Amino acid sequence: MSQTAFRPYRPRAIRLVNALGRLLGALGLRVNLDPDALMQRACRRAGAARFADTDFEPALRMLCQSIDQEANLHPFGRWVMQRRLLDILVTRLRVEALLTAHPEIRDIEIQPPLVIAGLQRTGTTMLHRLLAADPDARALRSWEAISPLPHPAQQPGRPDRRIDQARTAEKGLAYLAPEFFSIHPVEAEAPEEDVLLLEYSLMSQVPAATLNVPSYSQWLAGQDMTPAYRYLKTLLQVLHWQQGGGHWVLKTPAHLEHLDVLLAVFPRARIIQTHRDPLRTTASFSSMLAHGYGVFSDQVDAEAVARHWLDINVDMVERALAVRDAQPQAFIDVSYYDLMRDPIAEVKRIYAGAGLSLSPAARQAMQDSRQHNRQNRHGKHHYSLEQFGLSPQLVDDRYARYREAFAIPYEKPA
């Protein structure tokens, strides 16, 4: 697929907004992504004099520079990113204030979590929703990822405003990219990836999964991710303080890149690594990336994006193999094909490996979840490697060691 072959869907209203934005841009009036200006605005919104913790500043500056110089955002996309960065900064300030008022939050014990960390499109979402259905489990909900802290006017235990905000965001994504939901469902009250919590550290794969930010990605690859994972733990403590529960069920393919750091911050976590034919996952994820990039930019080089993420994903599984060699007891492997064939049997095996008990209530809740979250509920997703300039031989060669390590079979085309 050439750069001109992928044409992002754009509603007429957004085309008009972008036309106006470009006109204003020509007059020197562009949405401001200056990091200092963003921090000042965040302080005003949060009613804070300054940030007590400024360790995030290098990441913010690198991200803003990369977005400004490389992402080719259309005006509406630039406005959305400004809003998101402001929300992240305001949340950090509010977390600081909350921890000052309630220092006991830092003492909340996080039970050893179950961490689903397979490559994208390997059944991670299905498995996440199954495990999160256990009444004794605690999972991040989409509305919590968007709004980790109580609304100032919210009654304790009544997160209605935050749920409404997430539903608005869900509807907004459906309006901007209606095909996206057939690729990856985003639902306000459903379990969501905790990479969206890592995003609050400003050190995560989230920007690179939705924007062309190669300089930021290169910078991030050389960073010590320990502060980001410590902040993830802090946010889990903040969420647990609001609504308790048992063990956390986390899920993010990006964890594959930093499992050593994750296991240092959560020493007794169990890593559930899912496996599927990379020829299928690479094609599907390349399609997901192209549609995601197309939400924010009119210029999406889908071939370049697919090759960039092929490099990232191969590096992630190689890093994971190294951690497995050092800490094999932390891992539980799940074949996508076994999961699709008998989900409850795989859950029972996971629970046995993690030393957890699968109650009748949990089993029933998981069966109900499986029935509700049936495959292709939002439509059929069509994709192929050739659409993204990738050959089966290239992908097979890159993943040869990974396929051999886990005896991953070749999947017949649908």
Side-chain angles (χ1 to χ4, degrees):
M1 180 181 291
S2 68
Q3 185 167 349
T4 57
F6 184 81
R7 298 187 182 279
Y9 171 79
R10 195 74 65 230
R12 183 171 182 272
I14 302 302
R15 293 201 304 269
L16 293 173
V17 169
N18 284 336
L20 176 60
R22 291 187 179 99
L23 178 61
L24 293 174
L27 298 174
L29 301 172
R30 280 208 314 168
V31 171
N32 190 357
L33 292 178
D34 175 73
D36 291 310
L38 289 172
M39 287 188 287
Q40 290 170 9
R41 284 187 62 181
C43 285
R44 289 196 297 270
R45 274 180 51 181
R50 59 183 177 81
F51 286 87
D53 175 10
T54 57
D55 289 348
F56 68 89
E57 277 195 40
L60 175 66
R61 295 185 185 282
M62 179 57 68
L63 178 57
C64 288
Q65 176 181 308
S66 190
I67 292 174
D68 205 41
Q69 297 179 0
E70 300 167 334
N72 292 318
L73 301 184
H74 52 61
F76 181 74
R78 191 176 176 89
W79 176 80
V80 171
M81 289 311 303
Q82 184 200 61
R83 288 285 302 271
R84 181 56 186 156
L85 289 170
L86 279 171
D87 285 345
I88 288 171
L89 293 172
V90 170
T91 296
R92 289 189 65 97
L93 286 166
R94 293 186 62 208
V95 168
E96 286 181 359
L98 179 65
L99 293 176
T100 299
H102 296 277
E104 70 276 10
I105 292 174
R106 293 191 183 275
D107 297 326
I108 292 175
E109 180 183 359
I110 299 297
Q111 294 184 33
L114 297 178
V115 182
I116 302 168
L119 283 176
Q120 310 88 351
R121 324 308 295 160
T122 59
T124 56
T125 297
M126 172 188 166
L127 182 57
H128 189 207
R129 294 188 174 192
L130 278 177
L131 298 182
D134 185 342
D136 292 330
R138 178 74 166 90
L140 175 72
R141 305 291 166 174
S142 187
W143 61 267
E144 291 178 306
I146 293 174
S147 306
L149 296 177
H151 189 278
Q154 169 190 321
Q155 295 180 11
R158 295 285 302 278
D160 304 41
R161 295 193 182 198
R162 295 154 74 189
I163 294 174
D164 288 344
Q165 182 181 354
R167 286 176 178 153
T168 299
E170 178 187 335
K171 291 176 182 176
L173 179 58
Y175 174 71
L176 293 169
E179 291 185 30
F180 192 84
F181 281 69
S182 68
I183 306 172
H184 178 71
V186 179
E187 299 161 331
E189 297 186 68
E192 189 51 89
E193 293 189 8
D194 51 291
V195 72
L196 296 181
L197 293 183
L198 272 175
E199 190 183 12
Y200 288 97
S201 70
L202 290 155
M203 296 174 65
S204 78
Q205 283 189 358
V206 172
T210 50
L211 309 172
N212 181 47
V213 284
S215 296
Y216 172 78
S217 295
Q218 184 178 13
W219 173 84
L220 187 64
Q223 302 305 303
D224 176 9
M225 290 294 288
T226 302
Y229 276 85
R230 285 178 178 162
Y231 199 70
L232 169 63
K233 181 178 179 181
T234 296
L235 290 178
L236 292 180
Q237 290 172 317
V238 167
L239 291 169
H240 206 89
W241 174 75
Q242 296 171 64
Q243 179 189 333
H247 61 275
W248 278 87
V249 180
L250 306 179
K251 172 247 180 177
T252 287
H255 289 320
L256 285 170
E257 190 174 15
H258 304 292
L259 290 175
D260 52 345
V261 178
L262 186 150
L263 288 169
V265 176
F266 303 97
R268 293 179 294 142
R270 300 308 299 266
I271 310 300
I272 305 165
Q273 190 171 354
T274 49
H275 306 284
R276 185 185 181 186
D277 183 355
L279 293 177
R280 295 290 289 172
T281 64
T282 301
S284 179
F285 186 53
S286 296
S287 177
M288 178 178 171
L289 287 165
H291 283 84
Y293 275 55
V295 173
F296 301 100
S297 176
D298 292 326
Q299 303 175 46
V300 179
D301 187 341
E303 285 189 13
V305 173
R307 288 179 177 271
H308 175 64
W309 273 93
L310 176 61
D311 290 341
I312 291 175
N313 281 346
V314 169
D315 180 64
M316 289 201 304
V317 294
E318 293 290 337
R319 288 182 178 224
L321 284 169
V323 177
R324 293 176 68 102
D325 288 342
Q327 303 186 62
Q329 76 288 345
F331 289 82
I332 301 171
D333 292 301
V334 172
S335 164
Y336 170 83
Y337 310 102
D338 292 339
L339 180 64
M340 297 302 292
R341 187 179 305 113
D342 193 341
I344 300 301
E346 289 304 291
V347 169
K348 289 173 66 176
R349 192 170 62 80
I350 291 168
Y351 271 50
L356 297 171
S357 175
L358 182 62
S359 69
R363 181 173 180 145
Q364 183 60 54
M366 291 176 184
Q367 289 173 334
D368 293 343
S369 171
R370 178 60 180 144
Q371 181 63 29
H372 175 70
N373 296 297
R374 63 189 183 279
Q375 199 171 25
N376 300 325
R377 182 162 59 96
H378 294 281
K380 184 75 172 175
H381 177 207
H382 300 280
Y383 52 85
S384 70
L385 283 173
E386 291 74 17
Q387 284 178 284
F388 303 97
L390 300 175
S391 70
Q393 188 63 55
L394 170 66
V395 174
D396 222 18
D397 288 347
R398 297 295 307 277
Y399 280 111
R401 182 167 178 252
Y402 169 66
R403 187 188 291 276
E404 181 181 5
F406 301 101
I408 301 172
Y410 287 93
E411 184 176 330
K412 293 180 181 179

